[in-house]
Amino acid sequence: MASRRAALFLCSVPLLFLSQSMTESAQNGGGAKRRLRPNVLVTGTPGTGKTTMSSLLADATAMRHFNIGDLVREKGLHDGWDDELDCHVINEDMVCDELEDSMEEGGNIVDYHGCEFFPERWFDLVVVLQTDNSVLHDRLTSRGYMGAKLTNNIECEIFQVLLEEARESYASEIVMPLQSNNVEDISRNVATLTEWINNWRPPVQSN
Ligand code: DAT
């Protein structure tokens, strides 16, 4: 597991039906403070379409989109550059501090190829995008990935590392795997998640 997780750092860089229990469970998984809109984490191996889908979803729902990779670069939320892994050494505490106020408020889509260091209380739904190996291989090759970096990311997807990480880090009821192989998948996923977000209500708090 450790080697699979480490491999992820090299990549710096049909759901038409939601059960009532999933929706309720997700709504009740909120944090201590009552937020009026949900927070959604979109995770998955690099190249599965997190940023593409999150951007469209943010447009459709008027939610904020945080691309963590961009945020780390723009705000310097890292401890330098790792030449061997070819990525910034992300400072997880700084990232969490940066996001805390927005997450408390709600209405955020967070897009990152990892999920275990965020506070569990932040998220009402955790989407894990998944892509067939051959499709992902072509996308990552187009992005210039090669050698170990390419292989490690493909292996991450084969071994479903992000899905496993999501299920270990969050209540299984709020973890939603979605296929992302083609543009029809993007449209369907955006429609499904838009409906979920628009139907979301804050959990009723007991006295
Ligand atoms: P990620 O943010 O997971 O690294 P991305 O959104 O940057 O991925 O997408 C990588 C490339 O693949 C980009 O050129 C858009 C394309 N892509 C993403 N999802 C797709 C899908 N479901 N169908 C076709 N192309 C897709």
Side-chain angles (χ1 to χ4, degrees):
M1 180 64 194
S3 61
R4 287 186 217 159
R5 189 70 195 91
L8 255 188
F9 287 105
L10 283 172
C11 28
S12 163
V13 220
L15 185 90
L16 296 175
F17 171 74
L18 280 178
S19 72
Q20 185 65 20
S21 64
M22 182 177 195
T23 307
E24 284 173 359
S25 178
Q27 288 180 356
N28 290 331
K33 286 212 171 183
R34 197 166 189 262
R35 44 183 177 257
L36 298 178
R37 299 204 79 192
N39 291 323
V40 177
L41 174 61
V42 178
T43 190
T45 306
T48 50
K50 298 179 296 298
T51 300
T52 305
M53 207 274 299
S54 298
S55 174
L56 292 168
L57 184 61
D59 288 346
T61 58
M63 301 255 283
R64 274 183 297 248
H65 174 200
F66 287 104
N67 177 323
I68 299 299
D70 288 349
L71 191 74
V72 165
R73 276 187 291 277
E74 286 162 12
K75 303 233 169 189
L77 310 177
H78 56 78
D79 297 321
W81 183 259
D82 187 320
D83 284 330
E84 198 180 331
L85 298 180
D86 191 26
C87 64
H88 280 117
V89 181
I90 183 171
N91 185 314
E92 299 174 353
D93 290 340
M94 287 169 80
V95 171
C96 290
D97 286 348
E98 177 71 27
L99 292 175
E100 180 66 47
D101 289 349
S102 298
M103 299 306 288
E104 201 170 279
E105 199 178 306
N108 304 291
I109 300 164
V110 174
D111 147 18
Y112 190 55
H113 59 259
C115 63
E116 63 189 355
F117 72 86
F118 301 116
E120 185 180 357
R121 64 187 158 77
W122 276 3
F123 296 107
D124 303 289
L125 185 65
V126 177
V127 175
V128 183
L129 293 184
Q130 298 188 299
T131 300
D132 291 347
N133 303 326
S134 59
V135 177
L136 186 63
H137 183 278
D138 290 348
R139 283 188 204 158
L140 293 179
T141 305
S142 309
R143 204 184 246 187
Y145 285 24
M146 59 178 83
K149 189 169 178 174
L150 177 63
T151 309
N152 287 335
N153 280 295
I154 297 294
E155 285 182 358
C156 279
E157 191 62 3
I158 291 171
F159 291 118
Q160 301 197 321
V161 172
L162 264 304
L163 182 60
E164 194 178 322
E165 186 178 314
R167 286 181 171 152
E168 283 173 2
S169 305
Y170 299 90
S172 58
E173 298 83 13
I174 73 163
V175 176
M176 183 194 291
L178 291 176
Q179 286 297 305
S180 176
N181 292 314
N182 49 50
V183 288
E184 289 77 18
D185 288 341
I186 299 178
S187 302
R188 190 178 61 250
N189 293 341
V190 169
T192 300
L193 294 171
T194 298
E195 189 178 358
W196 186 91
I197 287 167
N198 289 339
N199 287 333
W200 186 87
R201 296 291 176 270
V204 177
Q205 289 185 325
S206 53
N207 294 323

